[in-house]
Amino acid sequence: MATEATSLTPDGTLSVTVVYAPAPRRIEQCQLSMKNGALVVEAIVESQLLNATSADLVDALLVSVWGRKAGLKDRLRDGDRIEILRDLRVDPKVARRERFAKQGAKSAGLFARRRVGGKAGY
């Protein structure tokens, strides 16, 4: 099993960023300096990005580190970017089906433009 070395700042702390998007096109982020061995949940609490959120909701959060799913009890490494995730409002597959149904089969996708004299689907 390979061990990963963490590069610490000279004073033995980790530099991490906590990012949260409470609404579309609105991003809040906080740069933190944490002690070595800190947990994801500690960084979220220290960032104070979720002050209005109750403690029960903090325990139910979905988080990722650099886009990969992470747990609240995972240890942090220097340079980590913690992303607090929101629930999807609409399933992307359903949204695509609805857009396609609204546009119609002939005006969307590969078959939107046909060459003059070309076969269907080319």
Side-chain angles (χ1 to χ4, degrees):
M1 179 172 18
T3 60
E4 295 183 15
T6 58
S7 60
L8 301 175
T9 56
D11 59 351
T13 60
L14 304 170
S15 175
V16 296
T17 304
V18 180
V19 180
Y20 179 56
R25 294 179 194 84
R26 197 172 125 219
I27 298 171
E28 298 175 6
Q29 72 178 25
C30 180
Q31 186 75 27
L32 300 171
S33 184
M34 305 288 296
K35 65 181 177 6
N36 189 17
L39 303 176
V40 170
V41 69
E42 293 170 354
I44 291 172
V45 170
E46 189 171 323
S47 73
Q48 299 180 354
L49 291 177
L50 300 175
N51 278 345
T53 307
S54 69
D56 294 338
L57 293 176
V58 171
D59 291 338
L61 285 175
L62 291 175
V63 296
S64 65
V65 175
W66 286 110
R68 294 181 182 234
K69 189 176 177 182
L72 293 174
K73 301 296 181 190
D74 290 354
R75 298 241 179 251
L76 293 171
R77 295 184 302 196
D78 189 45
D80 277 350
R81 175 188 161 104
I82 303 161
E83 298 143 357
I84 303 170
L85 308 175
R86 290 184 288 138
D87 288 333
L88 291 176
R89 300 178 105 201
V90 178
D91 181 13
K93 291 180 184 178
V94 172
R96 183 176 184 279
R97 282 189 205 113
E98 289 175 0
R99 274 195 317 272
F100 190 79
K102 190 167 82 172
Q103 291 173 350
K106 299 280 184 185
S107 63
L110 294 173
F111 310 112
R113 291 182 283 153
R114 263 180 75 186
R115 288 184 305 161
V116 176
K119 297 179 185 176
Y122 290 93

